[in-house]
Amino acid sequence: MKRIDIDQEWMMRVCLNDNMQDTCISNDISGEYISAKVPGSVYNDLLLAGKIEDPYWRDNEDLALELMKNDFEYKGSFNVSSVDLDDADEVILRFNGLDTLADIELNGNALGSVNNMHRIWEYSIKKYLKPEMNELTIHFHSPTSFIAEEFEKDPFILGTEDAMRGFPKIRKGHYMFGWDWGPRLPDAGIWRDVEVLKVRKARFTKVYIHQEFNEDLTSVQLCFDLKIKEALDNEEKSFIDSLKLKALVTVIDPSGNKIFDKADIFEKSGSNGGPIISDPLLWWPNGFGEQPLYEVITELVDENGCVLDSDSRRIGLRKMDLSTKKDEWGSEFAHVVNNVKFFAMGADYIPEDNILSRTGYDRTFDLLKQCKDANFNCIRVWGGGLYPSEDFYDICDELGLVVWQDFMFACANYRLTREFEDNILAEIKDNVRRLYHHASLGLWCGNNEMEMFVDKGEWGAKNEIKSDYVKMYEYLFPRLLEEEDPDRVYWPASPSSGGGFDEPNSPDRGDVHYWDVWHGNKPFTEYRKFYFRYLSEFGFQSFPSVKTIESFTLPEDRNVFSYIMEKHQRNASANGKIMNYMEQTFLYPNDLDTLVYASQLLQAEAIRYGVEHFRRNRGRCMGTVYWQLNDCWPVASWASIDYYGRWKALHYYAKRFFAPLMISCEEEGLLSQSMNTNAEPFDIKKSIRLSVANETLYDKNVKVRWQLRDADAKVIVEENTDIGIDALSSKWLDKVDLPKAKIYENYVSYQLLEDDEVISEGTVLFCAPKHFKFRDPKLSIRLENDEIIVSADAYAKSIEIRNANDDLILSDNFFDLNGTEKRVKIIKGYVDGLKVRSVYDIR
């Protein structure tokens, strides 16, 4: 099979529906064809043509949503040479992504209708082609009108109230209809490539490479499961049923050397005789080793030696599994790579934009590279968005990020009709085959939060829906995966204890979503009451940078309770929730800029409390994946990197609390005993207990130091000790009581040193920061080449360095100083208008 290079010229128009004729939407957009970009979308094409304003500005979202009540038509033209036509037994038109409901015509001939943006759609078109100009027409139907009509027919199929009613009725990224962090902007269009493919005799439809390791991983055999389709035959066949054809495999090692060249992997009998690689270079998650990638080229060859099709993909040689063995606390839940159980550290990923044309390789690479830079070793692709592109997985392969991949079902009930079943099984098959070769793909997960909510009877989940749930996620999906990807772990839901509605959010087995800190208004210290086996969602909100806020507001909008600010806050009453937590923690901020800074510190401290606690209990807990990594538009949310790529305080904190070697402190003080300022006086326990986590493959000898200090950072008491810590472990040090420490005037600093270099450090207070008697640290900054040096005359907590555009990325930020100075490297951004502040300035 060969891709025919064609020049595609596309045009688009809005087809106003009857109920839209007299609205303001109809001005200047109806009927007229405009130039279109493919891949692209309706919103993007109208924006490029100047026909609509940016949907993210103020409340323009409402007008953009109205627009989607219409239909849209795309017309494309392309030429196919007579040589290509004469040489082809079959010509296929492949759509790699159509969003979502559309009718397709080629040269006036109806090819078919589509109804799933997650699928790949193919049509045999040779009989319709002309030797010169060919015209392709795609008529997209309104997604919002469709779900409204479907909801009227069946109002009992419900989902999250943050999305539009009826959204489960369409196989389209659920988040496009709104979420508690995203707008209601259900775009439409040709969102992935359109290809014309030439087939001679036969083509591959499946190339699955199974890795069979020996016990000590010093040898691996590549075994192949190949499926083909012959030209003009819709039936897929196993390769071994077509013995007139050969499969030749070339393997190129990470250095570019061919270690196998056109090896015939099947004997005449049809048995699999794949190449054996001795001393393979193993692929490891970030922090544990390198990510070498081998290229495997599989060619389909006929009896005359002609290459009919060729498949090329990069693979990493590794053994990956999930351990759920029973233990003294219940059952563990741990990723295992190359026989090593590792502690998962990462965040939940959502689609990078509501207007998908604004995404691409560079933006995705930057985002994922910033995950690696923050010491992530995994990432969870959340089930209410989109199956990521090949680029996303290529980058994760290269960076060592193990991917937890949800199927695209989230916070909704589904009625399992025969049509729906066929549709979703085809969707899963398409995406499993597209992605299963990737080294980074760690596991498939059936859905986001549905077992938990169906178990509770949420959103109309009566007995019939419960039955359909079990059929989908615990029968149909795992059965399909046994055929399509038998080497990969399947987990039925997130959270889950393994299925069957058996306590799906159990703290003692499986994965957990924990939201009592935030949704339940519990204090940060609440995390310390739990020892979850694997935390795949927990989070805390903050406001984005003031510069990000300025991108969607006018000056009069810049109050957190204004109409526009609440339009860009999709979690009900969440701005007030941030302020509630803020009054418990900090002095009241005196302006929006300070409020934003304080909110980001709240978020960072909340997640730090959780992650450090769970890392201290490594072995019982084996993963912390916080909600969420990124935003899809400018908004107040749980993200650690905002829509414009600005790092919030949380992402810098993550770099520290996900460090392979990390020291943390479990302190006792007012936060863990009583926050009541007017409580009857009692004997307040003041103590620290340090812990060191070692998430590396090597035993370490390190030095631990700590100091009790006053607000000027003067040392009152100090101790240091040398310890050894085993690989892949955490170690508690002895508890230290500090009865003479002054609650509001003293604090503890602590450091972890390797080879006399501080590699991890922090500070803790015994009271809320608002009550600590901070001194003015008189912060100053100076520049030396690519470094910024910050100096403090006293204790300075959570020091932020920023430039005029607030888009600096530094080697460290939002750090503490004990009356000393610190050098940080400039990773990205200009140093114009540098400013510095600390918690002292929240007043």
Side-chain angles (χ1 to χ4, degrees):
M1 182 174 67
K2 177 183 177 184
R3 177 171 175 162
I4 301 174
D5 293 325
I6 55 172
D7 294 323
Q8 303 174 30
E9 296 181 6
W10 289 93
M11 306 290 285
M12 186 274 283
R13 67 170 178 168
V14 180
C15 307
L16 286 182
N17 290 333
D18 292 342
N19 61 344
M20 299 296 292
Q21 295 292 338
D22 298 324
T23 69
C24 60
I25 294 292
S26 65
N27 297 333
D28 198 33
I29 65 170
S30 63
E32 173 193 353
Y33 278 102
I34 60 173
S35 178
K37 183 180 178 182
V38 172
S41 76
V42 167
Y43 284 147
N44 191 62
D45 291 332
L46 292 172
L47 280 165
L48 292 176
K51 301 295 185 181
I52 62 170
E53 296 182 1
D54 190 340
Y56 300 165
W57 169 249
R58 303 193 81 225
D59 58 354
N60 281 350
E61 170 200 350
D62 295 342
L63 286 175
L65 177 60
E66 280 291 298
L67 178 64
M68 299 316 294
K69 291 180 178 178
N70 298 294
D71 289 1
F72 309 93
E73 188 173 85
Y74 279 77
K75 283 188 180 293
S77 58
F78 60 91
N79 292 320
V80 177
S81 73
S82 57
V83 173
D84 281 323
L85 281 176
D86 293 341
D87 192 39
D89 294 319
E90 184 179 17
V91 178
I92 293 170
L93 179 63
R94 175 186 287 168
F95 298 96
N96 289 297
L98 294 173
D99 181 15
T100 293
L101 306 169
D103 303 318
I104 306 166
E105 290 186 359
L106 177 62
N107 295 328
N109 300 286
L111 297 183
S113 299
V114 301
N115 60 357
N116 189 329
M117 79 175 294
H118 305 303
R119 285 181 60 180
I120 297 168
W121 301 92
E122 292 185 349
Y123 299 94
S124 183
I125 61 169
K126 184 176 180 181
K127 63 183 177 181
Y128 302 127
L129 288 174
K130 296 188 286 190
E132 294 184 0
M133 187 64 67
N134 293 275
E135 185 171 89
L136 185 59
T137 303
I138 308 174
H139 187 93
F140 288 94
H141 299 281
S142 164
T144 56
S145 297
F146 175 82
I147 64 169
E149 292 166 6
E150 290 297 310
F151 183 76
E152 279 194 24
K153 295 177 191 175
D154 186 3
F156 304 106
I157 297 300
L158 302 171
T160 175
E161 294 78 8
D162 294 303
M164 298 175 70
R165 288 181 299 182
F167 78 89
K169 289 289 193 174
I170 186 172
R171 291 309 297 154
K172 177 178 172 67
H174 288 347
Y175 83 105
M176 293 178 158
F177 294 101
W179 219 259
D180 57 2
W181 38 259
R184 295 186 178 110
L185 292 171
D187 208 348
I190 307 168
W191 74 289
R192 281 183 170 156
D193 286 337
V194 180
E195 301 175 286
V196 177
L197 306 170
K198 179 176 69 174
V199 180
R200 294 183 61 237
K201 295 185 180 179
R203 60 179 172 128
F204 285 129
T205 54
K206 178 181 180 181
V207 177
Y208 187 79
I209 306 171
H210 167 69
Q211 301 179 24
E212 187 66 46
F213 281 91
N214 65 355
E215 189 173 349
D216 60 1
L217 308 183
T218 57
S219 176
V220 58
Q221 181 175 21
L222 304 184
C223 303
F224 289 74
D225 177 11
L226 305 179
K227 296 249 184 336
I228 64 169
K229 277 187 181 179
E230 295 177 353
L232 302 175
D233 186 351
N234 283 328
E235 183 182 353
E236 184 177 70
K237 300 177 181 177
S238 173
F239 172 79
I240 60 175
D241 295 332
S242 303
L243 296 182
K244 291 182 179 179
L245 303 178
K246 287 186 177 182
L248 304 182
V249 169
T250 298
V251 180
I252 302 172
D253 73 14
S255 298
N257 302 310
K258 286 185 180 180
I259 54 178
F260 294 95
D261 189 6
K262 297 186 183 297
D264 189 344
I265 61 172
F266 288 89
E267 299 173 358
K268 291 182 180 180
S269 64
S271 61
N272 195 330
I276 297 174
I277 301 174
S278 299
D279 299 319
L281 299 174
L282 297 179
W283 185 96
W284 289 95
N286 181 39
F288 296 97
E290 299 302 315
Q291 294 80 42
L293 297 171
Y294 290 72
E295 184 179 3
V296 180
I297 303 167
T298 310
E299 293 177 315
L300 185 64
V301 179
D302 68 11
E303 61 272 24
N304 299 316
C306 296
V307 177
L308 306 178
D309 199 0
S310 180
D311 177 273
S312 177
R313 54 191 68 204
R314 294 187 307 168
I315 65 170
L317 302 180
R318 86 290 181 273
K319 187 177 180 182
M320 190 174 292
D321 205 345
L322 181 74
S323 177
T324 56
K325 292 180 181 177
K326 291 187 180 299
D327 60 19
E328 60 187 296
W329 302 291
S331 297
E332 70 177 357
F333 192 93
H335 296 293
V336 186
V337 175
N338 301 329
N339 299 330
V340 172
K341 293 177 188 175
F342 70 92
F343 190 101
M345 301 185 290
D348 296 283
Y349 167 90
I350 65 170
E352 294 168 45
D353 217 301
N354 265 77
I355 300 174
L356 298 176
S357 312
R358 292 177 170 176
T359 65
Y361 179 89
D362 290 343
R363 182 171 167 185
T364 299
F365 180 85
D366 284 346
L367 179 65
L368 294 175
K369 177 63 164 58
Q370 290 165 27
C371 294
K372 177 174 182 174
D373 292 344
N375 295 310
F376 286 32
N377 58 34
C378 74
I379 193 164
R380 174 177 172 243
V381 178
W382 169 75
L386 308 167
Y387 298 95
S389 66
E390 286 85 346
D391 285 344
F392 175 94
Y393 270 93
D394 284 341
I395 296 164
C396 289
D397 290 347
E398 294 165 5
L399 299 180
L401 299 175
V402 173
V403 181
W404 171 310
Q405 177 67 61
D406 283 1
F407 291 135
M408 292 300 114
F409 303 87
C411 299
N413 293 324
Y414 308 91
R415 197 178 296 285
L416 190 62
T417 64
R418 183 59 179 269
E419 179 186 8
F420 186 72
E421 176 183 333
D422 291 344
N423 196 1
I424 60 175
L425 289 179
E427 166 192 323
I428 291 172
K429 187 174 181 179
D430 282 348
N431 286 285
V432 169
R433 288 191 176 186
R434 186 170 62 87
L435 301 173
Y436 53 28
H437 66 281
H438 285 283
S440 56
L441 179 55
L443 65 78
W444 299 108
C445 178
N447 67 78
N448 174 75
E449 295 189 338
M450 286 315 305
E451 183 183 359
M452 177 174 68
F453 285 126
V454 169
D455 185 41
K456 295 176 181 177
E458 292 282 341
W459 303 315
K462 305 299 182 186
N463 289 340
E464 181 185 354
I465 296 302
K466 288 187 175 183
S467 174
D468 285 349
Y469 174 92
V470 173
K471 291 172 189 172
M472 285 173 60
Y473 304 110
E474 299 184 17
Y475 177 70
L476 292 173
F477 293 3
R479 186 180 180 189
L480 178 66
L481 287 169
E482 285 176 8
E483 173 67 26
E484 293 295 334
D485 192 9
D487 293 346
R488 204 85 51 183
V489 170
Y490 173 72
W491 192 245
S494 181
S496 180
S497 297
F501 304 117
D502 180 16
E503 200 178 353
N505 210 24
S506 169
D508 301 318
R509 52 208 165 99
D511 71 309
V512 165
H513 293 189
Y514 179 75
W515 284 102
D516 278 358
V517 177
W518 182 256
H519 288 308
N521 297 306
K522 295 291 180 67
F524 305 162
T525 50
E526 196 75 5
Y527 288 118
R528 295 181 181 174
K529 296 179 180 179
F530 300 96
Y531 301 89
F532 303 122
R533 311 313 304 267
Y534 188 109
L535 200 49
S536 51
E537 270 194 31
F538 65 114
F540 197 96
Q541 276 206 8
S542 70
F543 296 108
S545 161
V546 169
K547 287 297 180 183
T548 295
I549 291 172
E550 289 172 356
S551 75
F552 63 83
T553 59
L554 292 170
E556 57 264 34
D557 301 324
R558 292 167 196 158
N559 181 298
V560 296
F561 298 116
S562 73
Y563 174 74
I564 297 301
M565 287 292 286
E566 291 192 339
K567 285 288 284 185
H568 288 252
Q569 164 60 274
R570 306 315 279 247
N571 185 214
S573 304
N575 287 357
K577 191 183 294 286
I578 292 172
M579 300 307 294
N580 176 50
Y581 275 102
M582 192 172 296
E583 67 86 13
Q584 298 174 43
T585 310
F586 295 117
L587 295 176
Y588 198 83
N590 54 23
D591 54 38
L592 178 64
D593 185 50
T594 308
L595 188 153
V596 166
Y597 168 62
S599 80
Q600 293 193 11
L601 295 186
L602 279 173
Q603 178 189 36
E605 286 292 328
I607 304 306
R608 179 188 69 81
Y609 259 84
V611 173
E612 290 185 351
H613 166 70
F614 294 115
R615 287 195 68 184
R616 288 193 287 265
N617 290 279
R618 187 198 192 280
R620 189 171 181 179
C621 177
M622 287 300 289
T624 50
V625 179
Y626 67 77
W627 186 270
Q628 67 202 66
L629 171 63
N630 59 307
D631 284 326
C632 62
W633 75 314
V635 66
S637 79
W638 295 273
S640 62
I641 299 178
D642 79 15
Y643 176 73
Y644 292 106
R646 294 185 171 101
W647 285 30
K648 295 182 182 179
L650 172 56
H651 211 72
Y652 285 103
Y653 272 52
K655 185 176 182 179
R656 296 195 288 269
F657 61 58
F658 284 157
L661 275 170
M662 187 268 295
I663 188 171
S664 66
C665 180
E666 184 178 87
E667 84 290 347
E668 280 188 297
L670 287 175
L671 295 182
S672 60
Q673 294 168 74
S674 175
M675 291 285 288
N676 184 357
T677 304
N678 297 305
E680 182 177 342
F682 65 98
D683 184 19
I684 301 169
K685 296 177 182 177
K686 293 159 287 182
S687 70
I688 62 167
R689 193 180 184 197
L690 298 172
S691 175
V692 178
N694 178 10
E695 201 59 31
T696 76
L697 298 177
Y698 305 101
D699 298 343
K700 297 285 186 177
N701 292 310
V702 294
K703 182 184 291 291
V704 173
R705 300 191 313 211
W706 67 267
Q707 306 83 29
L708 179 68
R709 299 175 184 263
D710 65 19
D712 288 317
K714 180 181 176 182
V715 175
I716 301 168
V717 178
E718 63 180 328
E719 287 188 9
N720 63 80
T721 184
D722 295 323
I723 67 167
I725 179 168
D726 294 341
L728 304 167
S729 72
S730 63
K731 185 171 188 175
W732 286 100
L733 278 70
D734 291 338
K735 179 179 176 180
V736 179
D737 290 313
L738 296 167
K740 295 183 179 180
K742 297 177 180 179
I743 290 286
Y744 305 109
E745 298 176 35
N746 294 162
Y747 73 100
V748 171
S749 58
Y750 49 89
Q751 305 86 34
L752 180 69
L753 293 85
E754 185 177 29
D755 298 328
D756 294 324
E757 179 184 353
V758 174
I759 57 172
S760 179
E761 60 182 326
T763 69
V764 292
L765 304 176
F766 298 109
C767 65
K770 66 180 180 179
H771 292 153
F772 188 78
K773 296 179 181 179
F774 286 103
R775 308 284 194 268
D776 183 354
K778 297 185 171 67
L779 296 174
S780 63
I781 51 177
R782 66 184 190 274
L783 285 169
E784 288 185 9
N785 301 317
D786 64 344
E787 292 184 324
I788 300 171
I789 299 95
V790 185
S791 301
D793 289 348
Y795 174 42
K797 187 166 182 59
S798 303
I799 296 169
E800 180 195 21
I801 307 166
R802 54 189 174 142
N803 63 1
N805 200 41
D806 201 10
D807 58 0
L808 271 180
I809 296 180
L810 304 171
S811 59
D812 199 6
N813 209 349
F814 297 93
F815 51 81
D816 303 340
L817 277 182
N818 302 304
T820 53
E821 71 174 28
K822 183 181 177 94
R823 291 174 176 264
V824 296
K825 286 193 174 295
I826 301 163
I827 307 300
K828 184 179 179 182
Y830 298 103
V831 292
D832 54 313
L834 285 180
K835 294 181 180 179
V836 64
R837 59 182 166 184
S838 70
V839 171
Y840 174 82
D841 298 297
I842 303 176
R843 58 187 60 236

